[in-house]
Amino acid sequence: MIQRDYLIIGTGVGGASACEGVRKHDKRGSVTIVGAEIMPTYHRWMLSKDFLREKSAPLKKLGYFDQRWFDSHKIETRFATVVKQFNLERRLAVLGNGESIEFNKACLAMGSRPVRPPVAGVNLGNVIYLRSVRDALALREMADVEKTVMVVGGGLLACETAASLRMMKLKVTMMHRNSYLLNRYLDSQTGPWLTEYFGKHGVTMLVGESLNGFEGKTVLRNIQTKSGNRVPVGLAVVCCGAEPNLDLVRNTPLSGPHGSPVTEYLETEEKGIFAVGDLAFYPDRIMGGVRRQTHWENARAQGLVAGANTTGKKRIRYEQVPYFWTEMFDIRLHFIGDFSMQPTRVDLRGSYAKRKFIAHYYQGDKLRAILLCNQTDREVEAGKKELRHALGK
């Protein structure tokens, strides 16, 4: 039986940052981090951007925390390792190789997995779900052979991937069931502008179309739409959202319909068990309500807080203005605040034509979000302060 003071499940940025938070406040406690990824913590957000576009980019370009970092901080790593069982009462985790780890405290950072649409052919060859470095490497290789690709979806990952593939000179089509891209975040003027911008860059847009299935014997040959169209294509990247990896704690208080419910300290109902990143359904002390964020910056910040709180030597509330960014072609968008509802009023400063603007999103008289296009880091930080001030925080 292996005994550890701290067990971190998940080797992404949330888990690695939890290790960092632990070590900042407890230099001696024994720590093990376990995860299914084949390599140490890397910049996952690069998979749909630089790493995908640069066909010769080495794996080390993705690096975030390498093995030397974990070794120098005396953290045992178990990469390419799955946790099969997680016993809350006994504080025991059983690994895929049969080993058991008995722990005092734990942090859950298992991240998300891609949603597979409920249609025929989702497991055909050349149907890619971009989540891990293996997926990105496979997509890079396929892009050398197949020159026509369909990106299914219209969210952040879909837009980033489609833009990168188009910049790689592939013939790209996007299928999105909504009338414009990034409809979860953008208003009814900015969304159509962005969709048109993709069209100007040579991306064929199938907006308002829904997926009906993938066709082929072993490898993809056609994609069917619900309107009856059949599109010949040799490669598809499916970006239909992600769901939190909660199977390990299913049917326990650590699993809920919207994620793993946590307190403002990122602690679950089970004392000494924390959850971060894509899993954490947390009370938002700044914007109000309860939310789950699925972005790099959020996982990084939450990991640091949870790691510190896990030691018991700190008691830090997680409070951060929701924030993330994306880039596609020559556009870089920063999202600050709550974009969960369509704004009742938009104050646009700048112009779409020049691809440089700041849009303030209001609900009634209340400022709820700020969208920045091709603005400096200084402007982004100023936006965060402006929203905090407007909320009285």
Side-chain angles (χ1 to χ4, degrees), residues 7 9 83 85-87 91-95 99-103:
L7 175 64
I9 305 178
V83 178
Q85 298 177 40
F86 189 72
N87 190 307
R91 297 290 168 103
L92 185 72
V94 180
L95 308 185
E99 288 184 305
S100 297
I101 298 179
E102 195 175 54
F103 59 88

Side-chain angles (χ1 to χ4, degrees), residues 344-365:
T344 57
R345 178 167 66 91
V346 179
D347 177 14
L348 183 71
R349 303 170 189 172
S351 77
Y352 295 137
K354 293 182 179 179
R355 302 186 303 283
K356 190 167 186 178
F357 58 83
I358 300 176
H360 290 70
Y361 284 15
Y362 291 86
Q363 291 292 330
D365 294 329

Side-chain angles (χ1 to χ4, degrees), residues 136-154:
L137 291 171
L139 182 54
R140 281 201 323 202
E141 288 185 15
M142 290 179 187
D144 281 337
V145 179
E146 301 288 346
K147 296 304 180 184
T148 61
V149 58
M150 172 78 80
V151 177
V152 181

Side-chain angles (χ1 to χ4, degrees), residues 267-287:
E267 190 170 22
T268 68
E269 187 176 307
E270 291 287 330
K271 191 172 178 59
I273 310 293
F274 295 75
V276 300
D278 291 7
L279 303 187
F281 189 52
Y282 68 95
D284 190 333
R285 290 173 53 82
I286 295 178
M287 301 302 304

Side-chain angles (χ1 to χ4, degrees), residues 77-211:
T77 58
R78 298 294 190 96
F79 301 116
T81 303
V82 176
V83 178
K84 291 280 190 171
Q85 298 177 40
F86 189 72
N87 190 307
L88 289 173
E89 292 184 0
R90 296 178 59 193
R91 297 290 168 103
L92 185 72
V94 180
L95 308 185
N97 61 7
E99 288 184 305
S100 297
I101 298 179
E102 195 175 54
F103 59 88
N104 292 329
K105 296 179 180 179
C107 182
L108 307 179
M110 291 90 75
S112 295
R113 60 175 175 266
V115 170
R116 295 190 175 227
V119 298
V122 292
N123 294 318
L124 282 173
N126 285 19
V127 177
I128 294 288
Y129 302 85
L130 184 56
R131 176 64 186 174
S132 70
V133 65
R134 281 176 169 170
D135 301 327
L137 291 171
L139 182 54
R140 281 201 323 202
E141 288 185 15
M142 290 179 187
D144 281 337
V145 179
E146 301 288 346
K147 296 304 180 184
T148 61
V149 58
M150 172 78 80
V151 177
V152 181
L156 292 167
L157 182 61
C159 289
E160 292 169 356
T161 304
S164 289
L165 292 171
R166 185 69 193 119
M167 291 165 75
M168 294 162 65
K169 308 303 182 185
L170 273 72
K171 184 179 179 181
V172 180
T173 301
M174 290 188 78
M175 180 193 297
H176 183 39
R177 61 188 179 185
N178 199 271
S179 61
Y180 60 82
L181 299 174
L182 296 187
N183 57 285
R184 284 184 57 192
Y185 308 107
L186 300 182
D187 62 273
S188 57
Q189 281 75 47
T190 308
W193 163 76
L194 181 68
T195 305
E196 183 181 344
Y197 195 72
F198 267 68
K200 288 179 179 178
H201 277 76
V203 178
T204 302
M205 304 302 303
L206 292 180
V207 293
E209 285 274 22
S210 294
L211 176 70

Side-chain angles (χ1 to χ4, degrees), residues 284-288 321-322 337-338 366-369 384-393:
D284 190 333
R285 290 173 53 82
I286 295 178
M287 301 302 304
V321 175
D338 181 8
K366 294 183 178 180
L367 180 64
R368 295 293 296 174
K384 292 178 182 178
K385 291 178 181 178
E386 180 184 358
L387 184 57
R388 271 183 174 266
H389 180 73
L391 295 168
K393 301 295 182 180

